[in-house]
Structures are given as structure tokens and as C-alpha cells.
Amino acid sequence: MKASTVALAGIGATTAVVVGALAQAAGDSSPIGGAALSASVPAEYRDLVQEAGKTCPEVSPNLLAALLKQESGFDPKASSPVGAQGIAQFMPSTWASHGLDGNGDGKRDVWDPEDAIPSSAKYLCTIAKDVKDVPGNKRNNMLAAYNAGSGAVKRYNGVPPYKETQHYVQTISAAADSNPGGGTTTDQAAIVINAAEEKIGTPYSWGGGNAKGASSGICCSPSGKTGVGTVGFDCSGLTLYAYAKAGITLPRTAAQQYAASEPVQPGQKMRPGDLVFYGTTAASIHHVGIYVGNGYILNAPKPGTIVRYDPMDMMSDLYAVARPTQNTNKEI
């Protein structure tokens, strides 16, 4: 497939600014390719982190990536003076009770990233439940428990007053929430894409979809199609739902969502999680999808289809790429 050329426009702009090759052609069968992750994740671990980052709602791919970078710098042979081992720095006793055979080869090997990375995500999920009733920020408490143990977090009713643990929590949180270029954070973008990806195969329904999920649609689309009786999403219903999962409230229609976003300007790089809008003017925007990388979007295309991946140049009137602004905070 050829590389897409994206027309970018700001609200009230009189002409579209064409920026060539913002989106690269996809070369494999998976259009997302782990694109929601921080660029710091080595290529050989991106798929592992992307998949393990969906283990539970408290863990996202980018949060897991930030933790692994802090623990070992993605070194599967890392060992610490106190005995922590592997890419996720498990202590032997913790590995004995929480290590998984992630690749199904019959062994639980702390030195094998295919075992250690999913084990790390599962362990985060386990301790998130263990400290869920502790006051304070739930994500910070989960990270502190990974570093200092659940007992310490419970004893101090939150992040313990250990300099190492406090630095650990702050560093990982900052990396997971890194936000180059404004708008949504990388962690939020991962949540958005994961939420939309989980709805692949859901029917298109005109007027369907809200912050809680798929819903019965309304009548009628410009072509006369009705969503009544079909539980699913239309294009803006899907984006509204996915962004709600990341704690960001979007208005209902595609045109309104564009107005609530900051256009990606010439010279800025598109980021996974950005919204891609179609129309001839800001007022005539009629479709929106979620950019996932490699020239692809996730979207609910039209009546008679399902939520799916499509190339960005699926329509000839690509108008703009924009980044929703944060207006709601969601505690993880």
C-alpha cells in the first residue's frame, strides 16, 4: 500500500496544509504493531509488552514498559546485589509463587522475557487487588507494592516513606504519563487503543455507542439507514467510548470532537491515539477514526460493517488529524 498523504487543517483555516508521508505504509498483517508503546521499548519486546499490558484494567502497556525500563533497562540478564533477577527483577521467592510459563514451553524461567514479562503484569494485577483498599492513588500504591511489598503499603496507608520507593513510583509514573507534544499522555493513548481494539467485530449502528459501551442506535443516517434495534457503535460513538476509558470526555459527533481537539500541525508527528477526521470543512466533518500507527485507523466505518482496522486513505476527503485535550482525570 502506498504511504498516505494527510491534509491537516486548523479550526477556521482557509486552506488545508498538505504534509506528505506522515503515515507510513503498513508492511505486516498487524496494523497496530505495538505502536501505542513508548519508543523506548526494544523491538523484540514490543509485542510481549503490548499483550501483557492488557492483563487487567490497572495495567496498561505503557505502564508496564515504564516499569521494565526502570527495573532492568530491558536487560533480560540483569541481576541486583540483593538477588533480584531478570528483565522484571523478581526476587526468587516472589518468582516461585508468581512466575508464569508465559510461552508454554513447560518451564517457568525468570531469565526468559517471554515468561518474565507476562509474569510481571500478572503480579502487578495481583498486588493491585491486594492494596485496593489502601487510601490514596491506586496506581502509586500498586507500584510501591511492587517495589517495597504490599505489607509496607498497607502499614503506611500508602506509598512508604522510603526514598527508593518514592523515587521508583515517581519515575515510573512520569515515564508512563510522558506527553510529548501536549494532549493525551502515552498511557492514555494505550488505554484508548486497547479499548477500541476490544470492540473489533462489533456491528456498526447509526447513533450507537456511548461512554459505557455499545448501545442501540437511532434513525436515520443520511443514506436512510437506521440503527434502531442494532447494538453497536457509529464512528464517533466508538471514539467517545474509547476515550472515556482513558478518563477523557468527548462530545457526541465527529464534528464536535474535532472542535474539542487540538489539530496536529505541520512538522508535528502523528501519535497513536490521535483522531483522524474526514470532511471538506470543519463544519462538514462526517467521520472519525483512531490512529493506531503504520497508516491505519481503528473505526466503525459505515452501516453494514463492523468495527475494524482501515487504512487512513480509506476516504478521499481526509481533513485533519487532531489530539483531544484532557478535561477529566482518571485514577488508575
Side-chain angles (χ1 to χ4, degrees), residues 61-244:
N62 219 62
L63 177 68
L64 181 59
L67 181 141
L68 294 171
K69 183 177 181 180
Q70 176 67 18
E71 288 287 355
S72 68
F74 296 103
D75 180 2
K77 299 180 180 179
S79 60
S80 78
V82 296
Q85 300 174 330
I87 196 169
Q89 289 292 277
F90 276 98
M91 293 296 289
S93 59
T94 306
W95 180 259
S97 56
H98 295 282
L100 303 174
D101 177 13
N103 57 10
D105 66 356
K107 297 182 294 183
R108 296 186 303 133
D109 186 356
V110 72
W111 304 104
D112 186 345
E114 292 184 357
D115 291 344
I117 290 176
S119 296
S120 178
K122 182 63 176 177
Y123 184 51
L124 280 170
C125 296
T126 298
I127 59 178
K129 292 180 180 179
D130 194 27
V131 300
K132 66 181 178 63
D133 295 327
V134 176
N137 184 282
K138 295 183 183 300
R139 183 176 69 177
N140 289 350
N141 289 341
M142 176 182 69
L143 292 172
Y146 194 97
N147 177 258
S150 298
V153 173
K154 292 177 180 178
R155 187 163 59 252
Y156 288 101
N157 280 321
V159 178
Y162 310 150
K163 288 185 178 180
E164 176 191 333
T165 301
Q166 292 178 346
H167 175 74
Y168 180 89
V169 171
Q170 292 170 358
T171 300
I172 293 175
S173 294
D177 292 340
S178 61
N179 187 20
T184 54
T185 67
T186 50
D187 203 41
Q188 286 173 315
I191 294 170
V192 167
I193 291 173
N194 288 338
E197 188 179 47
E198 289 173 356
K199 299 303 179 182
I200 288 175
T202 303
Y204 180 97
S205 178
W206 174 260
N210 54 45
K212 295 182 179 179
S215 66
S216 181
I218 61 174
C219 186
C220 288
S221 74
S223 62
K225 301 291 185 180
T226 180
V228 176
T230 301
V231 175
F233 295 95
D234 64 10
C235 64
S236 56
L238 178 67
T239 53
L240 185 157
Y241 164 75
Y243 265 87

